[in-house]
Amino acid sequence: MAPASTRTDRYELHYWPGIQGRGEFIRLALEEAGAPYVDVARLPEREGGGEHALLAFMEQDTHTLPPFAPPVLRAGELVIAQTANILLYLGPRLKLVPDDEAGRLAVHQLQLTLADFAAEGHDTHHPIASSLYYEDQQAEARRRAASFVAERIPKFLRYFERVLVKNAHGAGRWLVGAELSYADLSLAQVLWWLGHAFPNALARATPELPRCCELRDRVAERPRIAAYLASERRLPFNQHDLFRNYPELDLEPER
Ligand SMILES: N[C@@H](CCC(=O)N[C@@H](CS)C(=O)NCC(=O)O)C(=O)O
């Protein structure tokens, strides 16, 4: 494959315009770094935005390797898909990974684990098919969500807590090494989603997760992230997103 030029004065993010979704992991990294980017599908249609433009971009014949699904990042001539792959590319450029290979791999490994977690979160409300309405798979959704809230949320979050405790014995307050990485941003995002979609399950797990909760709050206080979260660029949670608030899928509140 001929090398593609990555020279660009701004990154292009191609993602669904109405949801945080997996695109949010990329947005948070770009925002934290203060990197110039355009969220293309969120532009007005006359400027090339909108869902039709996104679909047309995905189908363009000019891609050397066509992407399967958004998010997609364009950096100059390079077109990259798969969220964790995009972050693998951006990490060193945005200074959101350690310099050493072991550190970069560790961050990537955690990002892939968060991708698994997010996919399971999505499957609670769409366990049969994304193309069917929630209402057409509600019985299956209840069964799927029951194990997600009782077993998977605690298992995933205890794992991240363990990673944080282990790292605290060495370098610091983040998942890997002494500095914030894109996996920290993504873990904070997953915790925000869980707080929205499964507040009771998250509350039940929280006493065991002091370091995860501190990390989430520390991410929210970072000046660029705080500015982003308060801006119009941050889309509100909604019922089209990866994580949705269907109270019937959550645990009962604790008395
Ligand atoms: N493993 C991919 C999953 C991508 C994905 O599922 N994208 C969703 C939106 S978050 C989509 O539009 N999927 C369309 C499809 O799978 O047909 C990634 O992490 O980027």
Side-chain angles (χ1 to χ4, degrees):
M1 202 182 278
S5 164
T6 61
R7 282 181 60 118
T8 180
D9 52 6
R10 64 175 188 179
Y11 294 107
E12 276 181 19
L13 173 65
H14 295 264
Y15 192 66
W16 299 109
I19 59 170
Q20 296 176 5
R22 289 176 175 87
E24 201 64 14
F25 295 136
I26 316 290
R27 294 189 186 108
L28 286 169
L30 292 165
E31 292 282 347
E32 166 62 25
Y37 76 101
V38 56
D39 204 340
V40 179
R42 294 196 60 201
L43 294 171
E45 283 186 15
R46 64 179 184 283
E47 291 172 36
E51 285 194 7
H52 290 300
L54 173 66
L55 292 169
F57 171 80
M58 299 297 293
E59 294 299 323
Q60 263 175 33
D61 252 354
T62 48
H63 297 308
T64 309
L65 179 63
F68 177 72
V72 178
L73 185 85
R74 175 140 67 184
E77 291 173 5
L78 198 60
V79 174
I80 315 166
Q82 290 286 354
T83 311
N85 195 38
I86 295 170
L87 289 166
L88 189 68
Y89 169 80
L90 284 176
R93 289 163 178 84
L94 303 184
K95 306 210 179 323
L96 288 172
V97 275
D99 289 332
D100 61 303
E101 185 175 47
R104 285 199 304 275
L105 285 173
V107 172
H108 184 52
Q109 179 174 320
L110 294 171
Q111 189 66 38
L112 289 167
T113 308
L114 287 163
D116 292 345
F117 195 4
E120 289 192 25
H122 167 270
D123 289 352
T124 58
H125 51 81
H126 277 74
I128 303 298
S130 299
S131 51
L132 293 176
Y133 289 113
Y134 168 63
E135 289 68 23
D136 295 330
Q137 47 193 317
Q138 208 167 353
E140 294 89 346
R142 278 180 182 260
R143 291 192 67 193
R144 183 70 190 248
S147 93
F148 185 70
V149 294
E151 296 155 21
R152 302 300 282 171
I153 289 180
K155 182 168 180 177
F156 273 111
L157 292 181
R158 275 190 215 122
Y159 168 72
F160 285 103
E161 186 74 12
R162 188 149 67 92
V163 172
L164 284 166
V165 168
K166 198 146 190 176
N167 193 35
H169 291 147
R173 309 174 306 162
W174 304 106
L175 286 164
V176 179
E179 307 290 337
L180 169 110
S181 72
Y182 60 75
D184 295 305
L185 300 172
S186 295
L187 176 57
Q189 174 63 26
V190 169
L191 288 162
W192 288 323
W193 267 330
L194 290 171
H196 165 68
F198 300 103
N200 299 336
L202 184 62
R204 194 79 57 91
T206 290
E208 287 185 77
L209 309 169
R211 288 177 192 269
C212 284
C213 295
E214 282 163 25
L215 175 141
R216 175 196 58 199
D217 298 343
R218 212 177 297 128
V219 166
E221 284 166 8
R222 297 190 63 93
R224 285 182 177 142
I225 296 294
Y228 169 63
L229 295 177
S231 76
E232 286 187 356
R233 298 191 302 288
R234 169 75 165 185
L235 290 156
F237 299 120
N238 65 54
Q239 295 298 72
H240 303 284
D241 214 321
L242 226 47
F243 283 80
R244 304 180 190 181
N245 178 261
Y246 293 116
E248 64 275 20
L249 301 185
D250 196 2
L251 289 177
E252 290 293 321
E254 274 185 308
R255 287 151 207 256

